[in-house]
Amino acid sequence: MSTFQDFKIKKQLVNALQDLGIDKPTPIQEQAYSPILAGRDFVGIAQTGTGKTFAYLLPILQELKYSEQPQPRVLILVPTRELVIQTVQEIEKLTPYINVRVEGVYGGTNINTQKKAVAKGLDIIVGTPQRLYDLALTNVLRLHSIKKLIIDEVDIMLDFGYKTQLRNIFSYLPKKRQNILLSATMTTYVDELIDGFLTNPLRVTISISGTPLDTISQEAYAVPNFYTKANLLNHLLQDTEKYQKVLIFVRSRANADRLYETLDFQQEASVIHSNKTQNHRSHSIENFVDGRSRILIATDVISRGIDIDKIDTVVSFDVPFYPENYIHRIGRTGRAKQQGRSMLLFTEKERPLKEAIEALMNYQIPLTDFPEEVKKSSQLIPEETDKPVVQEDGPSHMVNDSDIVIGASFHEKSAKNSKVNAKRKSYADQMKEKFKKPIRRGDKIQNLRAKRKKK
Ligand code: AMP
């Protein structure tokens, strides 16, 4: 374990950390500091609470020189107004002894006040994508001096449907810059973004700090298909003593709704995913927290950020495409030294994904026999007929493959860079190669592009 002294950070930062009572870097801070300081593109898969904000702020502030130039050199994009405020506060915490001009901008407030603040001159600007883009359009905010772009909570950002705004902002930024991405979960969309505009990034995954894997008992059921999985759940969840607070993860919005429809316990269950209104989501979560509903069905992205205590069981109704997401899922139970339970339901098609998780954990999930009394269904959902396994909890406006517009993806690399990237395989592609997975949405785009090129 290193200390901040090992980083050789400047005295002003050491003093600020001392004032905060912080003396040891967290794992992500340890792993991010040198590469970010060296100017490398960086992807951190880390949740709130891991120290991810200081992980990128420390090397950036270490390097940021005093300047009177009006245009900002560092751009931090975050999905919500709350996170803008929080990030600005974190910067202020680190800079009582450094002269840094920082401003947070977000929608729902007077843009003219923000224009004035920007016009005074800035070093770092923190903002939500839409407001930031609106300011860039006014020409008061000029982005051609941005040397470092940080996008925090990328998964939420894409889930909110900010893809277009991000692309618009990218078009204002200089091509030569450092990119730093932080995301709690991996999704196809995050992968696509990384692939589309980062150059050979260093990827660091930090599991939820202190995930008490040893306080979670894990089991797996081999189940032939969706409806048989639903039958199994309907059977198990009859035991209200054993299953008092159950969080069920599903891969897609369609499956979330489908499962809810099939559940015998609709009165005791709620569903949340990105197509539900904010009101509906808040209501569902409240019900689950208060114990009014015993069961919550959720997609990966949407469930994060919500802090719910005393979940006794996490069900992975399907196997997440990205193994890290399984760790995030099961980290929702077994908290505060309570014993938690994780149940993974997998079909034959999903077996390689389960094996990837086991490889990541270095642990083989014990198999439980499928109960004889549970009926096996022969009915298949459309995805089980000829479609491959896909991960999809993407932005609401991209509901199915046919919504993908070729050329509207995150692509701004020069031909030279694309060559480099042709050699470098994305994580998803590596997975696909390793597990012989069929084509996913991202691959589909690649294939269509390749076809177009041939023509
Ligand atoms: P974050 O994961 O960035 O949301 O940070 C969560 C909290 O941890 C913030 O309040 C930070 O001030 C705090 N924090 C950041 N780095 C450290 C550290 N090395 N030691 C203790 N606390 C930290």
Side-chain angles (χ1 to χ4, degrees):
M1 169 71 86
S2 56
T3 66
F4 283 113
Q5 269 72 33
D6 301 334
F7 290 174
K8 301 197 174 62
I9 51 176
K10 52 190 174 196
K11 188 121 189 30
Q12 296 96 318
L13 284 173
V14 174
N15 290 345
L17 287 168
Q18 258 167 10
D19 292 352
L20 293 168
I22 291 179
D23 52 1
K24 283 194 184 63
T26 63
I28 187 143
Q29 289 164 1
E30 238 172 356
Q31 293 179 62
Y33 186 79
S34 302
I36 293 184
L37 188 69
R40 186 150 178 208
D41 275 5
F42 183 87
V43 177
I45 305 297
Q47 290 209 319
T48 302
T50 52
K52 65 185 170 76
T53 320
F54 285 2
Y56 68 79
L57 283 179
L58 283 169
I60 284 175
L61 292 169
Q62 170 73 14
E63 204 212 20
L64 197 70
K65 307 253 174 341
Y66 175 80
S67 162
E68 287 183 4
Q69 79 164 55
Q71 299 86 10
R73 289 166 286 162
V74 178
L75 168 60
I76 305 177
L77 292 171
V78 301
T80 61
R81 167 203 168 112
E82 288 75 23
L83 196 54
V84 172
I85 297 170
Q86 197 184 310
T87 307
V88 171
Q89 283 169 349
E90 294 284 291
I91 297 171
E92 285 167 351
K93 277 193 210 166
L94 284 181
T95 54
Y97 308 110
I98 310 176
N99 200 348
V100 174
R101 300 161 301 165
V102 56
E103 190 65 38
V105 297
Y106 42 81
T109 46
N110 191 330
I111 194 165
N112 290 324
T113 320
Q114 291 176 357
K115 272 193 213 166
K116 278 185 200 142
V118 170
K120 277 192 204 155
L122 287 175
D123 298 304
I124 304 178
I125 185 156
V126 187
T128 49
Q130 186 60 52
R131 178 50 60 98
L132 204 113
Y133 183 57
D134 289 345
L135 282 165
L137 283 178
T138 66
N139 264 342
V140 175
L141 175 65
R142 297 183 155 261
L143 297 174
H144 58 263
S145 300
I146 296 292
K147 300 271 185 304
K148 290 167 198 299
L149 167 69
I150 298 98
I151 313 181
D152 197 0
E153 307 213 334
V154 183
D155 49 352
I156 298 276
M157 196 88 102
L158 297 177
D159 198 54
F160 280 3
Y162 277 145
K163 190 172 171 173
T164 312
Q165 284 90 337
L166 288 180
R167 214 173 43 239
N168 289 341
I169 294 169
F170 296 163
S171 70
Y172 277 83
L173 300 176
K175 289 263 183 294
K176 196 170 168 307
R177 59 169 196 264
Q178 182 180 15
N179 300 293
I180 298 159
L181 250 63
L182 292 135
S183 184
T185 46
M186 272 308 294
T187 70
T188 314
Y189 295 95
V190 176
D191 221 8
E192 227 177 276
L193 180 77
I194 294 168
D195 231 20
F197 88 114
L198 266 66
T199 309
N200 191 22
L202 177 71
R203 190 192 283 257
V204 169
T205 301
I206 302 291
S207 62
I208 305 165
S209 53
T211 301
L213 285 178
D214 49 351
T215 64
I216 302 167
S217 67
Q218 301 183 54
E219 60 180 336
Y221 286 86
V223 193
N225 53 38
F226 182 96
Y227 284 109
T228 308
K229 285 180 177 179
N231 290 348
L232 175 64
L233 269 193
N234 277 329
H235 170 75
L236 295 171
L237 295 179
Q238 284 171 18
D239 189 341
T240 50
E241 233 356 85
K242 188 169 176 188
Y243 302 107
Q244 295 188 8
K245 204 165 212 159
V246 183
L247 180 55
I248 306 177
F249 283 102
V250 285
R251 179 184 298 127
S252 67
R253 294 181 288 263
N255 280 1
D257 291 332
R258 211 176 262 141
L259 176 61
Y260 178 75
E261 293 303 320
T262 327
L263 219 55
D264 289 342
F265 311 95
Q266 282 178 9
Q267 305 285 0
E268 305 169 70
S270 306
V271 187
I272 49 168
H273 56 63
S274 54
N275 267 7
K276 301 281 184 194
T277 61
Q278 184 59 45
N279 250 350
H280 175 101
R281 292 188 207 173
S282 311
H283 193 64
S284 298
I285 293 166
E286 267 168 36
N287 280 348
F288 189 60
V289 170
D290 295 354
R292 266 169 291 165
S293 43
R294 179 165 69 102
I295 301 159
L296 184 65
I297 304 172
T299 50
D300 287 286
V301 172
I302 212 69
S303 72
R304 68 176 215 73
I306 54 172
D307 194 18
I308 305 169
D309 264 357
K310 298 199 172 64
I311 293 169
D312 54 58
T313 309
V314 166
V315 178
S316 287
F317 190 80
D318 38 35
V319 189
F321 189 81
Y322 296 95
E324 293 92 341
N325 289 357
Y326 175 80
I327 314 271
H328 288 316
R329 286 178 176 190
I330 70 169
R332 311 311 303 258
T333 185
R335 288 183 167 188
K337 300 217 160 55
Q338 289 163 347
Q339 192 64 31
R341 195 182 299 116
S342 160
M343 216 190 279
L344 175 70
L345 315 186
F346 69 98
T347 61
E348 206 38 50
K349 218 169 176 178
E350 292 173 314
R351 186 183 289 276
L353 299 175
K354 169 180 155 287
E355 286 166 1
I357 292 168
E358 292 175 331
L360 179 72
M361 295 192 298
N362 195 17
Y363 172 75
Q364 201 161 4
I365 308 168
L367 271 181
T368 305
D369 288 339
F370 187 85
E372 277 175 14
E373 58 272 42
V374 175
K375 193 167 169 280
K376 287 193 178 159
S377 171
S378 55
Q379 190 186 347
L380 299 178
I381 59 169
E383 291 86 330
E384 286 171 338
T385 48
D386 52 357
K387 280 203 157 187
V389 177
V390 291
Q391 137 113 29
E392 53 159 64
D393 186 26
S396 325
H397 62 277
M398 293 175 75
V399 178
N400 56 48
D401 288 355
S402 60
D403 286 339
I404 303 272
V405 182
I406 305 301
S409 194
F410 297 103
H411 281 270
E412 58 160 20
K413 283 180 180 163
S414 64
K416 194 168 136 235
N417 271 350
S418 325
K419 258 192 196 157
V420 172
N421 277 293
K423 279 185 209 146
R424 185 178 64 82
K425 288 196 181 70
S426 77
Y427 179 68
D429 284 343
Q430 287 170 30
M431 293 289 294
K432 195 185 76 187
E433 209 164 77
K434 188 165 175 196
F435 299 110
K436 307 275 178 286
K437 286 316 297 169
I439 295 166
R440 297 180 306 109
R441 176 183 290 124
D443 307 317
K444 205 164 188 166
I445 299 173
Q446 295 295 334
N447 286 349
L448 282 167
R449 279 210 190 92
K451 265 189 202 163
R452 276 186 154 195
K453 265 192 191 158
K454 272 188 190 164
K455 272 181 191 170

